[in-house]
Amino acid sequence: MGKKLLLKIKESVWIIPSIYCVISFFIAILIVYVDSSLHEYVHKYLPDFLMTSVDLAQTTLGTIAGALLTMTTITFSTIMVVLTTYTSQFSPRTLKDFLTDASTMRVLGVFLGGFIYSIVSLLFMRNTTIDHEVISATVGVLVAFVCIAFFAYFIHNVATSIQVNNLINKLAVDTLQTIKDDRKVLKNCTMDEVDKQPQIPTEYSQKQEMTGEQFGYIQLIDYQGLYELAKEKNYLIEVNQYIGHYITSESKLLTIYHHGKNVKFKINDYLTIGDDRTSLQDVEFNLIKMVEIALRAISPGINDPNTAIDCIRFLRVPLLEALSGRGRFSVYYDNEKKLRLIKRKESPEQLLYTTFYQLSHYGREDISILLAILDTLIHIAKNSSDNIKHEIKTFAIYVIRKFEKERLEELDRKQLKHKQTELETFVGPIVLSP
Protein backbone atom coordinates (compact mmCIF):
# COMPACT_ATOMS: atom_id res chain seq x y z
CA MET A 1 0.00 0.00 0.00
CA GLY A 2 2.87 2.34 0.79
CA LYS A 3 4.47 1.72 -2.61
CA LYS A 4 1.21 2.50 -4.39
CA LEU A 5 0.84 5.75 -2.46
CA LEU A 6 4.47 6.64 -3.20
CA LEU A 7 3.91 5.94 -6.91
CA LYS A 8 0.83 8.19 -6.99
CA ILE A 9 2.69 10.98 -5.23
CA LYS A 10 5.70 10.60 -7.50
CA GLU A 11 3.66 10.66 -10.72
CA SER A 12 1.22 13.40 -9.70
CA VAL A 13 2.34 16.90 -10.61
CA TRP A 14 -0.27 18.62 -8.48
CA ILE A 15 0.15 16.96 -5.05
CA ILE A 16 3.23 18.83 -3.75
CA PRO A 17 2.07 22.29 -5.00
CA SER A 18 -1.36 21.60 -3.50
CA ILE A 19 0.17 20.85 -0.11
CA TYR A 20 2.11 24.12 -0.23
CA CYS A 21 -1.06 26.02 -1.21
CA VAL A 22 -3.06 24.53 1.67
CA ILE A 23 -0.29 25.36 4.16
CA SER A 24 -0.09 28.93 2.82
CA PHE A 25 -3.85 29.33 3.11
CA PHE A 26 -3.81 28.37 6.79
CA ILE A 27 -0.80 30.62 7.44
CA ALA A 28 -2.72 33.51 5.87
CA ILE A 29 -5.75 32.77 8.06
CA LEU A 30 -3.49 32.59 11.15
CA ILE A 31 -1.81 35.93 10.40
CA VAL A 32 -5.16 37.58 9.72
CA TYR A 33 -6.41 36.25 13.05
CA VAL A 34 -3.30 37.64 14.78
CA ASP A 35 -3.84 41.03 13.13
CA SER A 36 -7.51 41.21 14.05
CA SER A 37 -7.58 39.67 17.54
CA LEU A 38 -4.06 39.59 18.99
CA HIS A 39 -2.69 42.92 17.80
CA GLU A 40 -2.20 44.30 21.33
CA TYR A 41 -0.16 41.27 22.35
CA VAL A 42 1.91 41.44 19.13
CA HIS A 43 2.67 45.15 19.66
CA LYS A 44 4.44 44.34 22.91
CA TYR A 45 7.01 42.06 21.28
CA LEU A 46 7.48 43.37 17.74
CA PRO A 47 9.22 46.66 16.91
CA ASP A 48 7.15 49.37 15.28
CA PHE A 49 9.02 49.28 11.96
CA LEU A 50 7.64 45.77 11.33
CA MET A 51 4.09 47.06 11.59
CA THR A 52 2.29 48.74 8.69
CA SER A 53 -1.00 50.48 8.15
CA VAL A 54 -3.83 48.67 6.40
CA ASP A 55 -3.47 50.85 3.29
CA LEU A 56 0.24 50.08 2.98
CA ALA A 57 -0.45 46.41 3.62
CA GLN A 58 -3.00 46.40 0.78
CA THR A 59 -0.51 47.99 -1.60
CA THR A 60 2.33 45.67 -0.57
CA LEU A 61 0.30 42.47 -0.72
CA GLY A 62 -1.22 43.42 -4.08
CA THR A 63 2.24 44.08 -5.53
CA ILE A 64 3.60 40.79 -4.18
CA ALA A 65 0.63 38.82 -5.52
CA GLY A 66 1.09 40.24 -9.01
CA ALA A 67 4.85 39.65 -8.98
CA LEU A 68 4.50 36.04 -7.78
CA LEU A 69 1.89 35.31 -10.44
CA THR A 70 4.33 36.59 -13.06
CA MET A 71 7.16 34.49 -11.62
CA THR A 72 4.91 31.42 -11.64
CA THR A 73 4.10 32.01 -15.32
CA ILE A 74 7.81 32.34 -16.13
CA THR A 75 8.51 29.13 -14.22
CA PHE A 76 5.86 27.21 -16.15
CA SER A 77 7.25 28.54 -19.43
CA THR A 78 10.76 27.48 -18.43
CA ILE A 79 9.52 24.02 -17.53
CA MET A 80 7.93 23.67 -20.97
CA VAL A 81 11.21 24.67 -22.64
CA VAL A 82 13.10 22.08 -20.59
CA LEU A 83 10.52 19.40 -21.44
CA THR A 84 10.94 20.20 -25.13
CA THR A 85 14.71 19.84 -24.74
CA TYR A 86 14.32 16.51 -22.95
CA THR A 87 12.05 15.21 -25.71
CA SER A 88 14.18 16.34 -28.64
CA GLN A 89 17.69 15.86 -27.24
CA PHE A 90 17.42 13.04 -24.68
CA SER A 91 14.40 10.73 -24.53
CA PRO A 92 10.62 11.07 -24.03
CA ARG A 93 10.98 8.54 -21.21
CA THR A 94 13.03 11.04 -19.19
CA LEU A 95 10.30 13.72 -19.12
CA LYS A 96 8.89 12.53 -15.82
CA ASP A 97 12.33 12.60 -14.23
CA PHE A 98 12.30 16.39 -14.48
CA LEU A 99 8.57 17.12 -14.34
CA THR A 100 7.94 15.07 -11.20
CA ASP A 101 11.26 15.95 -9.58
CA ALA A 102 10.66 17.06 -5.99
CA SER A 103 12.72 20.24 -6.39
CA THR A 104 10.71 21.36 -9.43
CA MET A 105 7.43 20.71 -7.66
CA ARG A 106 8.61 22.53 -4.53
CA VAL A 107 9.46 25.64 -6.54
CA LEU A 108 5.99 25.67 -8.07
CA GLY A 109 4.50 25.03 -4.64
CA VAL A 110 6.38 27.94 -3.06
CA PHE A 111 5.31 30.36 -5.81
CA LEU A 112 1.66 29.28 -5.75
CA GLY A 113 1.69 29.24 -1.94
CA GLY A 114 3.11 32.77 -1.83
CA PHE A 115 0.38 33.93 -4.23
CA ILE A 116 -2.31 32.22 -2.12
CA TYR A 117 -0.99 33.88 1.04
CA SER A 118 -0.90 37.32 -0.54
CA ILE A 119 -4.34 37.15 -2.13
CA VAL A 120 -6.05 35.66 0.97
CA SER A 121 -4.43 38.23 3.29
CA LEU A 122 -5.41 41.01 0.89
CA LEU A 123 -9.01 39.82 1.03
CA PHE A 124 -9.20 40.56 4.77
CA MET A 125 -7.23 43.83 4.79
CA ARG A 126 -10.13 46.29 5.28
CA ASN A 127 -10.14 49.59 7.09
CA THR A 128 -13.71 48.93 8.24
CA THR A 129 -12.70 45.86 10.29
CA ILE A 130 -9.08 46.61 11.18
CA ASP A 131 -8.25 50.09 12.48
CA HIS A 132 -4.71 49.45 13.71
CA GLU A 133 -1.34 48.49 12.28
CA VAL A 134 -0.83 44.92 11.03
CA ILE A 135 1.98 42.46 10.32
CA SER A 136 0.48 40.77 7.23
CA ALA A 137 2.57 42.92 4.87
CA THR A 138 5.79 42.14 6.76
CA VAL A 139 5.10 38.40 6.54
CA GLY A 140 4.28 38.90 2.86
CA VAL A 141 7.68 40.52 2.27
CA LEU A 142 9.38 37.57 3.98
CA VAL A 143 7.41 35.20 1.75
CA ALA A 144 8.55 37.21 -1.28
CA PHE A 145 12.19 36.85 -0.21
CA VAL A 146 11.72 33.08 0.13
CA CYS A 147 10.16 32.93 -3.33
CA ILE A 148 13.05 34.88 -4.85
CA ALA A 149 15.53 32.47 -3.25
CA PHE A 150 13.61 29.50 -4.65
CA PHE A 151 13.49 31.16 -8.06
CA ALA A 152 17.29 31.49 -8.06
CA TYR A 153 17.53 27.84 -7.02
CA PHE A 154 15.13 26.86 -9.80
CA ILE A 155 17.23 28.63 -12.44
CA HIS A 156 20.31 26.79 -11.14
CA ASN A 157 18.41 23.48 -11.16
CA VAL A 158 17.27 24.01 -14.76
CA ALA A 159 20.78 24.93 -15.89
CA THR A 160 22.19 21.73 -14.39
CA SER A 161 19.27 19.49 -15.42
CA ILE A 162 19.71 20.11 -19.14
CA GLN A 163 23.38 19.13 -18.96
CA VAL A 164 23.38 15.61 -20.32
CA ASN A 165 26.11 14.26 -18.01
CA ASN A 166 24.15 15.38 -14.94
CA LEU A 167 21.05 13.67 -16.29
CA ILE A 168 22.95 10.45 -17.03
CA ASN A 169 24.51 10.47 -13.56
CA LYS A 170 21.10 11.00 -11.95
CA LEU A 171 19.63 8.09 -13.91
CA ALA A 172 22.55 5.88 -12.84
CA VAL A 173 22.04 6.82 -9.18
CA ASP A 174 18.29 6.20 -9.47
CA THR A 175 18.98 2.78 -11.00
CA LEU A 176 21.29 1.84 -8.14
CA GLN A 177 18.66 2.92 -5.63
CA THR A 178 16.01 0.83 -7.41
CA ILE A 179 18.30 -2.21 -7.27
CA LYS A 180 18.95 -1.71 -3.55
CA ASP A 181 15.24 -1.28 -2.83
CA ASP A 182 14.48 -4.44 -4.82
CA ARG A 183 16.87 -6.48 -2.70
CA LYS A 184 15.24 -5.22 0.49
CA VAL A 185 11.69 -5.70 -0.77
CA LEU A 186 10.87 -8.42 1.78
CA LYS A 187 11.51 -8.41 5.51
CA ASN A 188 11.64 -11.16 8.14
CA CYS A 189 12.21 -13.98 5.66
CA THR A 190 15.02 -16.00 4.09
CA MET A 191 15.81 -15.33 0.42
CA ASP A 192 17.80 -17.32 -2.10
CA GLU A 193 18.70 -16.87 -5.78
CA VAL A 194 18.38 -19.90 -8.08
CA ASP A 195 18.75 -20.40 -11.82
CA LYS A 196 16.19 -23.19 -12.28
CA GLN A 197 12.47 -23.35 -11.61
CA PRO A 198 12.10 -24.28 -7.91
CA GLN A 199 10.53 -27.63 -7.14
CA ILE A 200 6.97 -27.25 -5.85
CA PRO A 201 6.49 -29.13 -2.55
CA THR A 202 4.20 -32.16 -2.89
CA GLU A 203 2.09 -31.01 0.07
CA TYR A 204 0.28 -28.55 -2.20
CA SER A 205 -2.41 -30.62 -3.90
CA GLN A 206 -4.03 -27.85 -5.94
CA LYS A 207 -2.97 -24.88 -7.98
CA GLN A 208 -4.89 -21.91 -9.31
CA GLU A 209 -3.75 -19.50 -12.01
CA MET A 210 -4.85 -15.88 -11.72
CA THR A 211 -5.05 -13.50 -14.67
CA GLY A 212 -5.20 -9.72 -14.82
CA GLU A 213 -8.33 -7.59 -14.90
CA GLN A 214 -6.93 -4.97 -17.29
CA PHE A 215 -4.19 -4.37 -19.84
CA GLY A 216 -1.07 -2.25 -19.48
CA TYR A 217 2.37 -2.33 -17.90
CA ILE A 218 3.06 -3.87 -14.51
CA GLN A 219 4.21 -0.90 -12.47
CA LEU A 220 4.33 -2.34 -8.95
CA ILE A 221 4.11 -5.73 -7.30
CA ASP A 222 3.50 -5.86 -3.56
CA TYR A 223 5.84 -8.77 -2.78
CA GLN A 224 5.61 -8.13 0.96
CA GLY A 225 1.82 -8.33 0.81
CA LEU A 226 1.91 -11.54 -1.26
CA TYR A 227 4.39 -13.09 1.15
CA GLU A 228 2.22 -12.21 4.16
CA LEU A 229 -0.84 -13.60 2.36
CA ALA A 230 0.96 -16.85 1.56
CA LYS A 231 2.14 -17.18 5.13
CA GLU A 232 -1.30 -16.44 6.59
CA LYS A 233 -3.25 -18.75 4.26
CA ASN A 234 -0.55 -21.43 3.95
CA TYR A 235 -0.11 -20.83 0.22
CA LEU A 236 2.85 -20.91 -2.12
CA ILE A 237 2.59 -18.00 -4.55
CA GLU A 238 4.55 -17.84 -7.80
CA VAL A 239 4.73 -14.46 -9.56
CA ASN A 240 4.68 -15.28 -13.27
CA GLN A 241 5.41 -11.84 -14.70
CA TYR A 242 8.26 -9.34 -14.44
CA ILE A 243 7.99 -5.73 -13.38
CA GLY A 244 7.60 -3.61 -16.53
CA HIS A 245 6.09 -6.30 -18.75
CA TYR A 246 3.02 -5.50 -20.82
CA ILE A 247 0.04 -7.69 -19.94
CA THR A 248 -3.53 -8.23 -21.08
CA SER A 249 -6.54 -9.70 -19.32
CA GLU A 250 -5.44 -13.14 -20.58
CA SER A 251 -1.92 -12.94 -19.14
CA LYS A 252 -1.11 -15.31 -16.30
CA LEU A 253 0.05 -13.18 -13.38
CA LEU A 254 0.09 -15.44 -10.33
CA THR A 255 0.01 -19.15 -9.67
CA ILE A 256 -1.35 -20.06 -6.24
CA TYR A 257 -0.42 -23.48 -4.84
CA HIS A 258 -2.77 -24.47 -2.02
CA HIS A 259 -4.44 -27.36 -0.15
CA GLY A 260 -7.78 -27.42 -1.93
CA LYS A 261 -9.34 -24.41 -0.22
CA ASN A 262 -10.95 -21.66 -2.26
CA VAL A 263 -8.51 -18.88 -3.12
CA LYS A 264 -10.23 -15.52 -2.99
CA PHE A 265 -8.53 -12.12 -3.06
CA LYS A 266 -8.38 -9.13 -5.35
CA ILE A 267 -5.28 -9.31 -7.50
CA ASN A 268 -5.34 -5.52 -7.97
CA ASP A 269 -4.59 -5.18 -4.26
CA TYR A 270 -1.15 -6.60 -4.92
CA LEU A 271 -0.36 -5.60 -8.51
CA THR A 272 -0.53 -2.10 -9.99
CA ILE A 273 -1.14 -1.88 -13.74
CA GLY A 274 -0.69 1.40 -15.63
CA ASP A 275 -0.37 2.94 -19.07
CA ASP A 276 3.41 3.30 -18.92
CA ARG A 277 6.43 1.91 -17.13
CA THR A 278 7.78 3.46 -13.94
CA SER A 279 11.21 3.41 -12.37
CA LEU A 280 10.12 2.67 -8.80
CA GLN A 281 10.74 -1.11 -9.06
CA ASP A 282 11.68 -1.48 -12.74
CA VAL A 283 15.48 -1.83 -13.02
CA GLU A 284 15.31 -2.63 -16.72
CA PHE A 285 13.36 0.56 -17.45
CA ASN A 286 15.98 2.67 -15.71
CA LEU A 287 18.67 1.11 -17.92
CA ILE A 288 16.53 1.65 -21.02
CA LYS A 289 16.30 5.38 -20.32
CA MET A 290 20.08 5.66 -20.29
CA VAL A 291 20.30 3.61 -23.47
CA GLU A 292 17.78 5.84 -25.23
CA ILE A 293 19.88 8.92 -24.50
CA ALA A 294 22.83 7.14 -26.12
CA LEU A 295 20.71 6.12 -29.12
CA ARG A 296 19.49 9.67 -29.60
CA ALA A 297 23.08 10.90 -29.41
CA ILE A 298 24.31 8.62 -32.21
CA SER A 299 21.35 9.34 -34.47
CA PRO A 300 22.24 11.15 -37.74
CA GLY A 301 20.25 14.21 -36.69
CA ILE A 302 22.31 14.81 -33.53
CA ASN A 303 25.55 12.91 -34.27
CA ASP A 304 27.09 13.20 -30.80
CA PRO A 305 28.93 9.90 -30.20
CA ASN A 306 30.79 11.23 -27.15
CA THR A 307 27.51 11.52 -25.27
CA ALA A 308 26.69 7.95 -26.24
CA ILE A 309 30.10 6.84 -24.96
CA ASP A 310 29.45 8.64 -21.65
CA CYS A 311 26.12 6.81 -21.34
CA ILE A 312 27.78 3.45 -21.93
CA ARG A 313 30.43 4.26 -19.32
CA PHE A 314 27.82 5.31 -16.75
CA LEU A 315 26.01 2.01 -17.38
CA ARG A 316 28.91 0.08 -15.88
CA VAL A 317 28.08 0.53 -12.21
CA PRO A 318 24.30 -0.04 -12.24
CA LEU A 319 24.59 -2.90 -14.74
CA LEU A 320 27.27 -4.61 -12.64
CA GLU A 321 25.12 -4.17 -9.54
CA ALA A 322 22.07 -5.54 -11.37
CA LEU A 323 23.97 -8.60 -12.63
CA SER A 324 25.83 -9.50 -9.44
CA GLY A 325 24.40 -12.49 -7.60
CA ARG A 326 21.49 -12.65 -10.00
CA GLY A 327 19.53 -15.85 -10.59
CA ARG A 328 16.50 -16.50 -12.73
CA PHE A 329 14.30 -16.85 -9.63
CA SER A 330 14.24 -15.35 -6.16
CA VAL A 331 12.70 -17.70 -3.61
CA TYR A 332 11.52 -16.67 -0.15
CA TYR A 333 11.11 -18.92 2.88
CA ASP A 334 9.38 -18.23 6.19
CA ASN A 335 10.93 -18.83 9.61
CA GLU A 336 9.96 -22.52 9.39
CA LYS A 337 11.91 -22.91 6.11
CA LYS A 338 8.71 -23.35 4.12
CA LEU A 339 8.74 -21.99 0.58
CA ARG A 340 6.21 -19.14 0.36
CA LEU A 341 7.00 -16.95 -2.64
CA ILE A 342 8.70 -17.42 -6.03
CA LYS A 343 9.69 -14.29 -7.91
CA ARG A 344 10.80 -14.37 -11.55
CA LYS A 345 13.68 -12.13 -12.60
CA GLU A 346 15.32 -11.18 -15.86
CA SER A 347 18.33 -13.34 -16.59
CA PRO A 348 21.82 -11.80 -16.98
CA GLU A 349 21.62 -12.57 -20.68
CA GLN A 350 18.32 -10.70 -20.97
CA LEU A 351 19.64 -7.67 -19.10
CA LEU A 352 22.77 -7.51 -21.28
CA TYR A 353 20.73 -7.93 -24.43
CA THR A 354 18.17 -5.29 -23.45
CA THR A 355 20.95 -2.85 -22.60
CA PHE A 356 23.15 -3.22 -25.67
CA TYR A 357 21.30 -4.79 -28.59
CA GLN A 358 19.97 -1.48 -29.97
CA LEU A 359 23.31 0.25 -29.44
CA SER A 360 25.01 -2.60 -31.29
CA HIS A 361 22.60 -2.25 -34.19
CA TYR A 362 22.43 1.52 -34.63
CA GLY A 363 26.09 2.12 -33.80
CA ARG A 364 27.50 -0.79 -35.80
CA GLU A 365 29.46 1.53 -38.10
CA ASP A 366 31.13 3.48 -35.27
CA ILE A 367 34.20 1.84 -33.78
CA SER A 368 34.06 4.15 -30.73
CA ILE A 369 30.68 2.67 -29.73
CA LEU A 370 32.03 -0.87 -30.05
CA LEU A 371 35.11 -0.06 -27.96
CA ALA A 372 32.97 1.63 -25.28
CA ILE A 373 30.69 -1.42 -25.05
CA LEU A 374 33.71 -3.73 -24.78
CA ASP A 375 35.18 -1.50 -22.05
CA THR A 376 31.95 -1.84 -20.10
CA LEU A 377 31.89 -5.62 -20.58
CA ILE A 378 35.53 -5.80 -19.43
CA HIS A 379 34.68 -3.85 -16.26
CA ILE A 380 31.72 -6.12 -15.51
CA ALA A 381 33.65 -9.31 -16.26
CA LYS A 382 36.53 -8.18 -14.04
CA ASN A 383 34.20 -7.83 -11.04
CA SER A 384 31.70 -10.64 -11.67
CA SER A 385 31.34 -14.30 -10.74
CA ASP A 386 32.12 -17.13 -13.17
CA ASN A 387 28.52 -17.70 -14.27
CA ILE A 388 28.18 -14.04 -15.25
CA LYS A 389 31.50 -14.18 -17.09
CA HIS A 390 30.13 -16.95 -19.29
CA GLU A 391 27.14 -14.77 -20.21
CA ILE A 392 29.45 -11.83 -20.93
CA LYS A 393 31.61 -13.98 -23.21
CA THR A 394 28.58 -15.09 -25.21
CA PHE A 395 27.28 -11.57 -25.46
CA ALA A 396 30.68 -10.14 -26.43
CA ILE A 397 30.75 -12.48 -29.43
CA TYR A 398 27.28 -11.27 -30.38
CA VAL A 399 28.30 -7.59 -30.12
CA ILE A 400 31.53 -7.93 -32.08
CA ARG A 401 29.80 -9.84 -34.86
CA LYS A 402 27.11 -7.17 -35.10
CA PHE A 403 29.65 -4.52 -36.10
CA GLU A 404 30.71 -4.09 -39.71
CA LYS A 405 34.38 -5.00 -39.43
CA GLU A 406 34.97 -4.61 -43.17
CA ARG A 407 34.61 -0.87 -42.70
CA LEU A 408 37.38 -0.73 -40.08
CA GLU A 409 40.82 0.62 -40.86
CA GLU A 410 43.98 -1.12 -39.71
CA LEU A 411 44.34 1.04 -36.57
CA ASP A 412 40.68 0.39 -35.70
CA ARG A 413 41.27 -3.35 -36.01
CA LYS A 414 44.30 -3.04 -33.75
CA GLN A 415 42.28 -1.28 -31.03
CA LEU A 416 39.50 -3.85 -31.36
CA LYS A 417 41.99 -6.72 -31.04
CA HIS A 418 43.48 -5.08 -27.92
CA LYS A 419 40.06 -4.83 -26.22
CA GLN A 420 39.20 -8.38 -27.23
CA THR A 421 42.46 -9.66 -25.77
CA GLU A 422 41.85 -7.75 -22.53
CA LEU A 423 38.36 -9.21 -22.24
CA GLU A 424 39.70 -12.72 -22.87
CA THR A 425 41.86 -12.47 -19.74
CA PHE A 426 38.63 -12.55 -17.69
CA VAL A 427 36.20 -14.67 -19.76
CA GLY A 428 38.49 -17.00 -21.72
CA PRO A 429 39.11 -17.29 -25.48
CA ILE A 430 36.61 -15.51 -27.71
CA VAL A 431 36.15 -17.42 -30.95
CA LEU A 432 34.36 -15.56 -33.72
CA SER A 433 32.89 -18.06 -36.15
CA PRO A 434 32.65 -16.88 -39.76
Side-chain angles (χ1 to χ4, degrees):
M1 192 67 185
K3 286 282 187 181
K4 284 190 175 184
L5 180 61
L6 179 61
L7 178 63
K8 289 182 179 180
I9 293 175
K10 194 171 182 179
E11 293 198 332
S12 299
V13 179
W14 58 270
I15 289 183
I16 294 179
S18 298
I19 293 173
Y20 276 78
C21 288
V22 171
I23 293 174
S24 299
F25 175 80
F26 283 109
I27 291 176
I29 296 298
L30 175 62
I31 297 300
V32 169
Y33 172 75
V34 170
D35 281 338
S36 58
S37 303
L38 303 176
H39 60 279
E40 293 182 357
Y41 179 81
V42 171
H43 271 278
K44 295 179 181 179
Y45 296 97
L46 285 182
D48 292 339
F49 69 87
L50 293 179
M51 314 296 292
T52 65
S53 64
V54 173
D55 291 335
L56 181 57
Q58 289 175 336
T59 303
T60 304
L61 292 172
T63 303
I64 292 173
L68 291 180
L69 191 59
T70 302
M71 292 174 67
T72 304
T73 304
I74 295 173
T75 302
F76 272 110
S77 301
T78 306
I79 288 174
M80 296 309 298
V81 171
V82 174
L83 294 183
T84 302
T85 302
Y86 269 54
T87 303
S88 60
Q89 298 292 327
F90 304 144
S91 165
R93 252 65 60 182
T94 60
L95 287 177
K96 283 187 177 180
D97 291 85
F98 178 79
L99 188 59
T100 60
D101 185 70
S103 59
T104 304
M105 295 300 100
R106 278 196 294 267
V107 170
L108 287 177
V110 168
F111 289 164
L112 293 175
F115 176 77
I116 293 295
Y117 170 81
S118 301
I119 208 71
V120 171
S121 298
L122 187 60
L123 177 65
F124 293 97
M125 288 295 107
R126 305 171 186 172
N127 286 310
T128 55
T129 56
I130 301 177
D131 56 358
H132 50 265
E133 292 185 330
V134 295
I135 62 169
S136 293
T138 303
V139 176
V141 171
L142 294 177
V143 169
F145 286 156
V146 172
C147 291
I148 291 173
F150 268 84
F151 185 73
Y153 166 75
F154 174 71
I155 296 300
H156 169 76
N157 186 50
V158 168
T160 56
S161 296
I162 60 176
Q163 296 177 28
V164 65
N165 275 10
N166 291 334
L167 174 60
I168 299 170
N169 181 70
K170 182 179 182 301
L171 292 174
V173 172
D174 290 345
T175 306
L176 288 171
Q177 186 61 50
T178 302
I179 295 170
K180 291 178 182 178
D181 291 343
D182 179 66
R183 290 176 178 169
K184 297 185 295 185
V185 69
L186 283 175
K187 303 175 181 177
N188 303 322
C189 66
T190 304
M191 188 270 284
D192 193 15
E193 300 273 355
V194 296
D195 291 322
K196 295 182 180 180
Q197 173 77 36
Q199 186 70 32
I200 305 301
T202 56
E203 65 179 278
Y204 297 106
S205 58
Q206 301 290 330
K207 75 172 183 177
Q208 179 177 333
E209 296 178 349
M210 305 192 71
T211 58
E213 300 176 3
Q214 61 190 103
F215 58 89
Y217 291 98
I218 299 179
Q219 296 178 330
L220 290 176
I221 298 178
D222 183 6
Y223 294 109
Q224 184 69 40
L226 290 173
Y227 171 79
E228 296 295 341
L229 176 68
K231 189 176 178 181
E232 177 186 352
K233 302 292 186 180
N234 196 21
Y235 295 156
L236 168 58
I237 300 178
E238 180 180 359
V239 182
N240 302 117
Q241 298 290 340
Y242 308 108
I243 290 286
H245 275 205
Y246 186 87
I247 64 163
T248 65
S249 56
E250 292 80 23
S251 300
K252 183 173 69 172
L253 301 182
L254 301 176
T255 301
I256 314 296
Y257 298 92
H258 56 95
H259 298 279
K261 299 178 182 179
N262 291 329
V263 176
K264 293 182 179 180
F265 66 89
K266 292 183 178 180
I267 196 169
N268 284 348
D269 291 342
Y270 299 94
L271 276 77
T272 302
I273 312 299
D275 296 333
D276 50 17
R277 300 176 73 170
T278 66
S279 56
L280 199 59
Q281 286 185 333
D282 196 343
V283 176
E284 188 181 73
F285 183 55
N286 282 281
L287 297 173
I288 286 174
K289 287 192 285 187
M290 299 177 68
V291 170
E292 285 193 349
I293 296 175
L295 290 172
R296 190 65 62 93
I298 62 176
S299 65
I302 297 179
N303 195 22
D304 181 15
N306 287 326
T307 294
I309 293 171
D310 284 341
C311 283
I312 297 171
R313 288 170 178 167
F314 272 95
L315 279 166
R316 294 179 188 181
V317 177
L319 191 56
L320 174 62
E321 191 69 23
L323 291 171
S324 60
R326 194 176 189 88
R328 296 292 302 274
F329 300 88
S330 293
V331 292
Y332 299 90
Y333 301 87
D334 62 15
N335 295 332
E336 299 176 357
K337 305 299 181 183
K338 295 186 69 174
L339 182 59
R340 291 301 182 189
L341 185 66
I342 302 173
K343 170 185 172 185
R344 291 177 179 265
K345 300 172 68 176
E346 296 89 347
S347 65
E349 177 185 347
Q350 180 61 38
L351 273 180
L352 287 169
Y353 183 78
T354 300
T355 304
F356 292 119
Y357 82 101
Q358 289 179 317
L359 286 170
S360 301
H361 175 75
Y362 292 104
R364 64 183 180 273
E365 297 181 3
D366 192 336
I367 183 62
S368 64
I369 301 299
L370 173 57
L371 296 179
I373 293 175
L374 291 179
D375 272 335
T376 297
L377 294 179
I378 290 169
H379 176 81
I380 296 173
K382 182 180 179 181
N383 299 279
S384 297
S385 58
D386 291 338
N387 62 324
I388 301 298
K389 289 178 181 179
H390 175 72
E391 300 287 353
I392 293 173
K393 177 180 178 179
T394 304
F395 190 76
I397 295 173
Y398 164 82
V399 170
I400 295 173
R401 294 186 61 187
K402 286 281 286 186
F403 278 80
E404 300 179 0
K405 294 185 288 298
E406 64 275 3
R407 292 177 176 267
L408 300 181
E409 298 293 337
E410 183 62 28
L411 188 57
D412 294 333
R413 294 176 185 272
K414 184 178 179 180
Q415 291 293 326
L416 176 59
K417 183 62 178 177
H418 173 72
K419 294 297 180 185
Q420 182 177 330
T421 303
E422 187 177 356
L423 182 59
E424 286 177 339
T425 59
F426 302 107
V427 302
I430 296 176
V431 181
L432 301 173
S433 57

